[in-house]
Amino acid sequence: MRRRTRIQARGSLCVAPGAGPPTPADVGSALGAAAPGPAPGARRLVPFPFPAYGAPMVEVTGVLQKEAWDRDVMPPVERVRPGLWSIPVPIPDNPLRYVLVYAFELDDGVAIVDAGWNTDDAWAALNNGLEEAGGSMSDVRAVLVTHIHPDHYGLAGRVREESGAWIGLHPDDAEMLQARYIDTDNLLARMREFLQDAGVPATKLPDLNFASMMIRGQVMMAEPDVLFEDGRKVDVPGWDLQTVWTPGHSPGHVCFYSDRHRLLLSGDHVLPRITPNIGVHTQQFPNPLGEYLESLLKVHTLDVEEVLPAHEYRFANLQGRLDEIIAHHADRLVEIERLIAEHPGATAWDISVSLTWSRPWHEIADFMQRAAVGETLAHIVLLENHQRLRREGSVPSRFYPAEAG
Ligand SMILES: [Zn+2]
Ligand SMILES: [Zn+2]
């Protein structure tokens, strides 16, 4: 019997206390409700506005992981189920600390979910972890990547080189690989335009624009061998893993679900303590927060006993955590709508600087400031799609309450 503890989960970078989350029924009915229809360009209706009720709790099942988190040390390699292992792989100089790689034992080797950053420390930790689990790097037959970010995808190519494993990724993330990691000039130019339109001051532009380029070295470019379409059964014999496409955090983010084991490998889609960055940027769907909220509802109905996330620690009560995340974004939408009402004509940068963050704005690193602007815009776009705001002009775009002249 696994030990369980209950803790109150909290947001991280974007923390906004406030109203509790909606019930699943509320969300479901809001989805189908005759809201003021989406603006041109909106993909679908998303739940908005959100009704409120009391906050649920996250139920920690990865007790050793949580204890290690609290002591700021690496958690152990653990057997999560017979034949399924959790291997922490460090992320250098990053508050996430590590990515949890999951290793499924197969008759002829092992399949891993995510791989870690392309650094020597991460490589060593992955090798050691596989050995602790009774295998080795040369046993790896498959690398199932939840999404394109370097902490998940960075080492996939090196694993394939060493073991001959196949790599799987969703087509919407696979499509972005070249632009993101190889032909970056065009991406940088578009990012600059995006940041200018968001109202980033000229003095900050170069730093914010180049902020992500330093992590390119932590990815080995590798085209996938298999594309994970939504609903696709994953070829890991002995395990009933199904792909659940959950766009939002990245366009091609996927979770893996085992109906038989009632497990959800949630990647970055659902984490126990923090909310993943959902941001508008040059490699995103136009309304990423709308996509994300839809994707939260998509996993809401799954029968899940335990969630195996890619960061932090394992947990139960998936539905409660989903409601909490939805409530967090609802609070954020309310805060942004209020700020724009108070400061009509504000830019996305203006709003970002004024919002409540987990630390003062000037202490937030450049790459996080850029992520924060993207996150603010994701909320603005959702409000715009629901005709709560309107946009005027460009470079920069300015935002006004929908009803104001
Ligand atoms: Zn990510
Ligand atoms: Zn991650």
Side-chain angles (χ1 to χ4, degrees):
M1 183 80 173
R2 286 186 306 277
R3 284 188 293 154
R4 291 166 186 257
T5 56
R6 293 178 79 85
I7 60 155
Q8 177 71 54
R10 59 187 179 82
S12 68
L13 180 68
C14 58
V15 176
T23 64
D26 290 334
V27 173
S29 60
L31 255 179
R43 288 166 65 88
R44 276 168 284 176
L45 261 188
V46 295
F48 182 81
F50 309 87
Y53 87 128
M57 313 278 273
V58 157
E59 197 174 331
V60 178
T61 51
V63 175
L64 294 177
Q65 295 170 330
K66 173 68 167 58
E67 285 171 3
W69 184 272
D70 291 341
R71 288 188 293 123
D72 199 7
V73 295
M74 287 288 280
V77 172
E78 283 186 88
R79 197 183 76 148
V80 177
R81 291 286 187 283
L84 172 57
W85 297 79
S86 153
I87 301 171
V89 173
I91 306 175
D93 304 322
N94 191 296
L96 289 171
R97 303 183 194 173
Y98 54 83
V99 64
L100 293 167
V101 171
Y102 294 95
F104 288 89
E105 291 177 15
L106 313 174
D107 286 345
D108 65 341
V110 60
I112 61 173
V113 175
D114 289 328
W117 290 69
N118 186 21
T119 66
D120 289 339
D121 283 355
W123 179 249
L126 184 56
N127 275 274
N128 294 340
L130 287 168
E131 278 166 29
E132 214 176 315
S136 74
M137 187 60 75
S138 58
D139 295 334
V140 180
R141 298 287 168 264
V143 189
L144 322 180
V145 186
T146 57
H147 63 297
I148 195 179
H149 293 162
D151 47 330
H152 302 257
Y153 166 80
L155 270 178
R158 198 164 165 187
V159 173
R160 179 169 64 187
E161 265 188 11
E162 186 82 6
S163 65
W166 57 264
I167 298 172
L169 189 67
H170 188 274
D172 282 334
D173 271 16
E175 204 173 88
M176 302 189 302
L177 285 168
Q178 283 289 337
R180 195 178 188 106
Y181 296 122
I182 306 293
D183 310 323
T184 49
D185 287 354
N186 180 35
L187 189 67
L188 277 171
R190 284 192 296 136
M191 180 59 80
R192 190 182 175 83
E193 284 167 22
F194 163 77
L195 292 170
Q196 282 176 316
D197 190 53
V200 174
T203 49
K204 296 285 296 184
L205 256 179
D207 289 344
L208 262 65
N209 199 22
F210 284 99
S212 66
M213 286 296 118
M214 61 202 176
I215 60 168
R216 270 197 303 161
Q218 281 147 353
V219 172
M220 177 190 260
M221 173 64 191
E223 292 289 349
D225 306 288
V226 173
L227 294 177
F228 290 141
E229 306 280 357
D230 188 30
R232 181 188 171 120
K233 191 137 179 46
V234 183
D235 185 20
V236 282
W239 295 91
D240 66 326
L241 284 188
Q242 191 186 352
T243 307
V244 185
W245 180 39
T246 48
H249 177 58
S250 82
H253 189 288
V254 295
C255 297
F256 299 105
Y257 175 59
S258 167
D259 185 32
R260 192 185 338 143
H261 297 277
R262 300 175 63 215
L263 289 174
L264 182 71
L265 286 89
S266 63
D268 284 359
H269 184 49
V270 192
L271 300 169
R273 192 184 65 98
I274 58 171
T275 54
N277 174 260
I278 310 297
V280 173
H281 58 78
T282 47
Q283 285 196 318
Q284 260 291 13
F285 287 142
N287 179 10
L289 183 57
E291 300 286 344
Y292 180 65
L293 293 168
E294 297 272 355
S295 296
L296 291 178
L297 296 181
K298 195 168 177 182
V299 296
H300 209 291
T301 52
L302 297 177
D303 178 19
V304 172
E305 182 195 23
E306 191 176 26
V307 181
L308 311 183
H311 301 287
E312 303 181 330
Y313 31 81
R314 304 191 302 281
F315 63 100
N317 191 8
L318 169 66
Q319 276 73 19
R321 181 60 184 142
L322 293 170
D323 294 343
E324 211 162 39
I325 294 172
I326 291 168
H328 161 75
H329 289 292
D331 289 344
R332 209 54 163 169
L333 289 162
V334 168
E335 191 183 4
I336 288 171
E337 197 174 5
R338 180 177 54 73
L339 277 170
I340 289 174
E342 288 168 7
H343 307 280
T347 65
W349 173 264
D350 299 333
I351 300 299
S352 302
V353 172
S354 307
L355 278 169
T356 316
W357 301 99
S358 54
R359 68 204 81 148
W361 181 257
H362 66 271
E363 287 177 19
I364 299 176
D366 289 336
F367 80 98
M368 293 299 279
Q369 284 192 358
R370 196 186 71 184
V373 172
E375 197 160 300
T376 303
L377 257 171
H379 291 82
I380 288 175
V381 167
L382 185 63
L383 288 165
E384 222 185 333
N385 280 357
H386 284 271
Q387 295 163 8
R388 309 288 291 235
L389 299 178
R390 63 188 171 79
R391 179 189 298 244
E392 269 187 25
S394 63
V395 198
S397 292
R398 297 189 176 278
F399 299 95
Y400 299 84
E403 67 275 12

